[in-house]
């Protein structure tokens, strides 16, 4: 796709709007035969902004012009974006005969706008109306975003400047799913790095906790993610969990998660170790309970394996179990998905996370040449609606939500939880309410400027990146150099 953008608006923002209607489209420096072309012109004076969009595609042309007056309610930049959003939605919507359910909201956190409006003193009804009218969000999505925002704020409460969480990365999997783009590694050569990786990882964990203690911070949650952390052998897992236990009082944590995602990596001894070392939450993720679909996306386990693993985790006495399902997997149908969802509801896990299938540029499924981008999403919308209605009917509330580019049907990922069983780390991480100290390959430490957060300003986040790949991580210092940067960040802010 080719864009021509003039005026005071970021071209990337226009790209994200166009990708709603042309998922998977790449933006090049030249016009290509058969590819859409859009012209966006933004002009303004002291009083108003005018956004004019022109779209040409497959021999057809549509135009839309939107005018918005600057006011005290929105910043000038936001007003520009709203005008541009309406112009793109009108021109592209007419061309494609499609109206996106999230309107012009393209960011990762659709509940963020709802949160901002609530903090301005708007009522729940007013926020829903504002999302529907100004941002063109469907009424049911506006209600979802508002409900999630309210629940997040209740759980977050009043953050303390000394709160933090810890993330630990195990970027290895037994096999790689065809849709996956995470930094996870599966070949025998790379898996052979695990013992050496674990030594350096434990060293970094000790360093991170030493810095946390030096600063007088309080760890609220620990999240061991991946990849698949339970790819570790029982001895390796005990080494990891015991290292965390020696660094902090795990009994004082509000939450301690071990992602056990792949049922084919779960054993009774691993779950007993998790319970013994204070883990309070595990993830046992089937993605679907249709064996044919599982095989199609490269998941080397069956529905029966999931049931076995779920029972192991439950019998081990883990307080909270999460299960993931994915809407819109290649080859899946509404009948399959609804059956999977009902079978999960029968198990009554504390958390159910429903993801919408998302196509990432590095996913194996793209190299296979399969057509996976889907504007309207086929059965996906019906599946999303079904999951949300049935979850709430069964006493689960939506507490966490995010979106990604190129999601089937432009839908969303939603976490549901029973009362008091919400995943705190997910909220802390997504809403950036306190610093996250991260260890391991591909891990990113996010330092939150608490003073800016409390003053109502946009959060100032400083990110410290670990080497992305395990072999690069093994060549480094295990994150030791980050300690000085972290201390400096906190000292400069008087914490």
């Amino acid at each position: 796709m080719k864009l021509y953008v003039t005026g005071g608006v970021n071209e990337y923002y226009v790209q994200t709007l166009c990708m709603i209607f042309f998922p998977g489209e790449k933006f090049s420096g030249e016009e290509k035969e058969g590819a859409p072309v859009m012209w966006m012109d933004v002009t303004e004076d002291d009083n108003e902004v005018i956004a004019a969009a022109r779209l040409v595609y497959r021999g057809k042309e549509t135009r839309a012009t939107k005018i918005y007056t600057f006011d005290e309610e929105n910043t000038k930049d936001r007003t520009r974006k709203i005008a541009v959003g309406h112009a793109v939605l009108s021109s592209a919507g007419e061309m494609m005969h499609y109206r996106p359910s999230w309107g012009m909201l393209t960011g990762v956190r659709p509940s963020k706008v709802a949160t901002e409006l609530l903090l301005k003193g708007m009522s729940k009804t007013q926020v829903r109306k504002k999302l529907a009218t100004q941002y063109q969000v469907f009424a049911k999505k506006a209600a979802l975003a508002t409900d999630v925002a309210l629940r997040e704020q209740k759980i977050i409460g009043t953050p303390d400047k000394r709160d933090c969480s810890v993330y630990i990365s195990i970027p290895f999997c037994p096999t790689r799913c065809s849709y996956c783009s995470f930094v996870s590694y599966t070949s025998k050569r790379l898996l052979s790095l695990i013992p050496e990786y674990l030594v350096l990882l434990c060293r970094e964990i000790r360093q991170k906790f030493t810095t946390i203690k030096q600063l007088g911070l309080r760890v609220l949650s620990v999240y061991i993610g991946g990849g698949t952390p339970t790819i570790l052998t029982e001895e390796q897992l005990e080494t990891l969990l015991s290292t965390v236990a020696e660094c902090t009082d795990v009994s004082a944590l509000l939450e301690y998660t071990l992602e056990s995602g792949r049922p084919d990596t779960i054993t009774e001894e691993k779950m007993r170790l998790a319970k013994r070392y204070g883990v309070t939450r595990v993830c046992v993720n089937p993605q679907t309970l249709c064996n044919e679909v599982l095989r199609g996306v490269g998941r080397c386990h069956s529905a029966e394996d999931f049931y076995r693993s779920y029972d192991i985790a439950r019998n081990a006495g883990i307080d909270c179990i999460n299960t993931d399902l994915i809407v819109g997997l290649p080859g899946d149908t509404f009948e399959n998905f609804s059956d999977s969802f009902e079978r999960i509801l029968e198990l009554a896990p504390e958390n159910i996370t429903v993801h919408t299938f998302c196509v990432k540029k590095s996913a194996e499924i793209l190299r296979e040449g399969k057509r996976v981008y889907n504007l309207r999403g086929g059965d996906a919308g019906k599946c999303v609606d079904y999951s949300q209605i049935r979850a709430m009917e069964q006493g689960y509330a939506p507490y966490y939500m995010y979106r990604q580019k190129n999601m089937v049907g432009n839908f969303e990922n939603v976490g549901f939880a029973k009362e008091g069983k919400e995943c705190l780390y997910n909220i802390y991480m997504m809403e950036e309410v306190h610093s996250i100290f991260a260890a391991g390959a591909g891990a990113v430490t996010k330092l939150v400027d608490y003073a800016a957060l409390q003053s109502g300003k946009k959060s100032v986040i400083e990110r410290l990146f670990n080497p992305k790949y395990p072999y690069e991580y093994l060549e480094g210092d295990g994150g030791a150099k980050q300690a000085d940067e972290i201390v400096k960040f906190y000292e400069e802010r008087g914490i």
Side-chain angles (χ1 to χ4, degrees):
M1 183 173 188
K2 175 63 178 174
L3 284 180
Y4 296 94
V5 179
T6 58
V9 66
N10 184 282
E11 183 173 335
Y12 178 73
Y13 173 64
V14 183
Q15 288 181 2
T16 61
L17 291 168
C18 290
M19 287 176 69
I20 295 174
F21 298 90
F22 303 99
E25 192 65 49
K26 296 180 180 180
F27 296 86
S28 63
E30 58 184 24
E31 295 182 25
K32 294 184 178 181
E33 185 177 355
V37 183
M38 175 170 279
W39 290 261
M40 171 57 65
D41 181 49
V42 180
T43 58
E44 62 184 84
D45 56 27
D46 291 339
N47 298 315
E48 63 185 20
V49 58
I50 303 172
R54 174 187 169 214
L55 176 63
V56 175
Y57 182 53
R58 293 181 176 175
K60 298 181 180 180
E61 177 178 323
T62 54
R63 296 173 180 257
T65 299
K66 300 296 177 181
I67 303 173
Y68 276 84
T69 302
F70 292 122
D71 56 32
E72 295 181 356
E73 184 176 326
N74 293 306
T75 64
K76 285 194 172 183
D77 181 61
R78 175 159 290 186
T79 302
R80 292 186 196 101
K81 287 183 175 180
I82 290 171
V84 169
H86 277 274
V88 172
L89 261 62
S90 294
S91 60
E94 180 183 346
M95 174 71 73
M96 305 302 291
H97 305 289
Y98 173 69
R99 182 185 168 196
S101 60
W102 283 103
M104 68 182 70
L105 295 185
T106 61
V108 172
R109 299 156 57 191
S111 60
K112 181 180 179 180
V113 177
T115 298
E116 292 175 356
L117 296 174
L118 289 166
L119 292 176
K120 288 181 179 180
M122 285 191 179
S123 68
K124 183 176 178 178
T125 300
Q126 290 172 324
V127 172
R128 289 180 174 182
K129 183 177 180 180
K130 175 70 77 173
L131 290 173
T133 56
Q134 189 167 84
Y135 296 95
Q136 297 291 289
V137 177
F138 280 19
K140 61 186 177 184
K141 301 302 184 186
L144 175 64
T146 306
D147 289 345
V148 169
L150 286 167
R151 198 163 187 83
E152 286 176 337
Q153 291 307 302
K154 179 182 178 181
I155 293 168
I156 291 168
T158 304
D160 188 278
K161 64 182 180 180
R162 296 195 177 280
D163 290 343
C164 70
S165 290
V166 173
Y167 176 82
I168 298 169
S169 170
I170 306 293
F172 302 93
C173 284
T175 61
R176 182 170 178 173
C177 303
S178 63
Y179 54 80
C180 182
S181 67
F182 287 146
V183 183
S184 55
Y185 300 90
T186 60
S187 73
K188 289 183 178 179
R189 183 178 67 84
L190 288 168
L191 293 177
S192 70
L193 298 177
I194 290 178
E196 187 181 355
Y197 176 84
L198 189 59
V199 171
L200 196 59
L201 175 65
C202 289
R203 184 192 306 171
E204 186 184 5
I205 291 170
R206 293 185 182 99
Q207 290 167 337
K208 284 293 193 297
F209 275 103
T210 296
T211 302
I212 288 169
K213 290 178 181 178
Q214 179 183 344
L215 293 169
L217 306 181
R218 179 178 66 142
V219 181
L220 299 188
S221 67
V222 172
Y223 194 104
I224 302 175
T228 306
T230 44
I231 194 175
L232 300 179
T233 66
E234 291 159 0
E235 294 76 16
Q236 290 167 343
L237 182 61
E238 182 163 24
T239 295
L240 175 61
L241 297 177
S242 64
T243 298
V244 176
E246 76 181 49
C247 292
T248 191
D249 179 5
V250 295
S251 67
L253 297 173
L254 299 183
E255 178 181 270
Y256 189 179
T257 296
L258 173 67
E259 274 196 5
S260 317
R262 291 283 295 260
D264 45 330
T265 66
I266 294 173
T267 67
E268 292 182 7
E269 180 59 23
K270 289 177 186 179
M271 290 298 100
R272 282 197 291 265
L273 284 169
K275 179 65 176 179
R276 186 190 312 160
Y277 282 97
V279 169
T280 60
R281 182 177 181 271
V282 298
C283 306
V284 186
N285 302 330
Q287 314 302 22
T288 174
L289 291 177
C290 176
N291 287 332
E292 183 179 353
V293 176
L294 286 170
R295 286 191 295 271
V297 297
R299 298 281 287 194
C300 294
H301 66 82
S302 65
E304 292 71 25
D305 292 329
F306 162 74
Y307 280 113
R308 174 191 60 79
S309 300
Y310 185 93
D311 286 344
I312 287 173
R314 182 62 77 198
N315 293 334
I318 302 296
D319 296 336
C320 180
I321 299 177
N322 172 75
T323 60
D324 282 3
L325 290 173
I326 300 179
V327 163
L329 285 171
D332 207 1
T333 64
F334 172 74
E335 288 73 19
N336 282 340
F337 176 82
S338 59
D339 176 67
S340 293
F341 198 80
E342 290 300 325
R343 291 161 70 184
I344 293 297
L345 287 176
E346 289 175 1
L347 295 175
E350 287 72 24
N351 294 173
I352 304 174
T353 306
V354 180
H355 298 269
T356 298
F357 180 59
C358 177
V359 184
K360 295 296 188 68
K361 62 182 180 181
S362 60
E364 180 65 29
I365 197 169
L366 291 181
R367 292 193 287 272
E368 295 170 356
K370 296 180 179 178
R371 291 182 57 84
V372 292
Y373 296 114
N374 192 322
L375 176 62
R376 291 170 177 79
D379 281 353
K382 189 176 179 181
C383 294
V384 167
D385 288 346
Y386 183 87
S387 68
Q388 294 174 6
I389 291 170
R390 288 292 292 133
M392 287 185 271
E393 285 178 348
Q394 295 299 309
Y396 293 87
Y399 74 95
Y400 158 74
M401 174 172 59
Y402 68 101
R403 299 176 66 234
Q404 299 163 281
K405 295 176 187 175
N406 294 326
M407 298 182 81
V408 168
N410 195 42
F411 295 116
E412 66 277 354
N413 304 324
V414 181
F416 298 92
K418 294 181 178 179
E419 183 69 33
K421 294 295 184 178
E422 301 84 358
C423 178
L424 303 179
Y425 174 83
N426 282 343
I427 297 174
Y428 298 152
M429 179 270 298
M430 189 60 66
E431 295 305 307
E432 299 174 336
V433 296
H434 64 228
S435 295
I436 306 291
F437 294 87
V444 181
T445 291
K446 299 198 317 185
L447 304 176
V448 176
D449 187 332
Y450 179 81
L453 185 70
Q454 289 300 100
S455 64
K457 298 178 183 178
K458 183 178 180 180
S459 296
V460 178
I461 308 295
E462 184 170 322
R463 291 173 170 82
L464 305 177
F465 295 86
N466 274 4
K468 184 175 182 180
Y469 301 104
Y471 54 84
E472 293 177 329
Y473 180 77
L474 291 174
E475 295 171 356
D477 62 357
K481 292 181 180 178
Q482 291 184 0
D484 291 341
E485 296 178 69
I486 293 169
V487 171
K488 180 180 178 182
F489 179 90
Y490 274 84
E491 287 181 343
E492 286 178 347
R493 288 155 181 79
I495 301 177

